[in-house]
Amino acid sequence: MVDVVIEDQKDASRYALRVDGELVSVLDYRVLGEQISFPHTFTKPQHRGHGWAEKLVDFAIDDVEQNSERRVVPMCWYVAQWFDAHPDRAGLLAR
């Protein structure tokens, strides 16, 4: 069993996912008033293909929805594809 920890590292403006203490994936963000932009998602190459980025984006979008009134600007292609795969969450997108 692996230990997965996801946290909002506000000082670094990113969400970070660690597996057994190792930083595996990050999702950068920028807060722009009532919007939050996600310009970049990165998973270490040796950890790709295990669903870590999806888990990280799931967490981040849930966090935005539950803890703010912000709307999402998906600048990163991965986040944009995540919204394509989750049309039920489209209400969170900035218009």
Side-chain angles (χ1 to χ4, degrees):
M1 183 141 183
V2 295
D3 179 37
V4 178
V5 174
I6 303 173
E7 63 184 348
D8 180 359
Q9 297 179 334
K10 289 180 174 58
D11 291 343
S13 297
R14 71 181 189 180
Y15 288 90
L17 182 143
R18 294 182 180 278
V19 176
D20 294 332
E22 179 184 358
L23 182 62
V24 169
S25 189
V26 295
L27 173 59
D28 296 325
Y29 65 82
R30 302 292 176 265
V31 174
L32 309 164
E34 294 302 312
Q35 297 181 344
I36 185 167
S37 167
F38 291 103
H40 186 249
T41 306
F42 179 78
T43 301
K44 288 183 176 180
Q46 65 269 31
H47 294 286
R48 292 179 183 162
H50 299 284
W52 298 124
E54 181 175 11
K55 184 178 285 295
L56 183 59
V57 173
D58 287 343
F59 180 91
I61 298 304
D62 287 346
D63 186 51
V64 169
E65 182 175 40
Q66 294 168 10
N67 298 305
S68 78
E69 296 294 320
R70 292 188 177 103
R71 293 294 168 243
V72 176
V73 179
M75 303 290 290
C76 169
W77 67 266
Y78 188 88
V79 177
Q81 283 187 345
W82 185 93
F83 274 100
D84 288 344
H86 298 85
D88 57 308
R89 307 299 291 277
L92 290 171
L93 293 170
R95 302 280 176 223

